[in-house]
Amino acid sequence: MMYAPYEWASYISPMYYSVQAYFANVFGSTSVSPYLLGLALVGIGAMLINIVIIWFFHKPLQVDEA
C-alpha cells in the first residue's frame, strides 16, 4: 500500500525487524532468528556508515603547546 521508496526504506529500518520479531515471538508463527539477524545487520551497517563518514570528514583540532 506504500509508495515504492517508502516500502524500500521500511525494510532497512530497524523498526521493521524489531516489530516482526515481536510478532513472531508473540504469535509463534515463524522463527524469530531471521528478524533478529536482520536487525543486527542493519545496526552493523549503520555503524559502518557512521565510521566511514567520520573517517572522511573528521578534522583534528589544533593543539596549542604552551
Side-chain angles (χ1 to χ4, degrees):
M1 293 188 59
M2 291 188 282
Y3 292 117
Y6 296 114
E7 186 174 354
W8 180 79
S10 74
Y11 289 114
I12 63 169
S13 168
M15 187 175 152
Y16 171 79
Y17 296 101
S18 60
V19 169
Q20 293 299 325
Y22 176 74
F23 283 151
N25 196 15
V26 168
F27 298 114
S29 61
T30 61
S31 175
V32 179
S33 60
Y35 300 115
L36 293 179
L37 179 63
L39 182 62
L41 290 175
V42 167
I44 291 170
M47 209 175 337
L48 289 175
I49 289 171
N50 286 328
I51 288 170
V52 167
I53 288 171
I54 295 300
W55 185 40
F56 279 121
F57 295 113
H58 177 71
K59 295 180 177 91
L61 297 173
Q62 294 289 336
V63 178
D64 293 334
E65 294 185 28

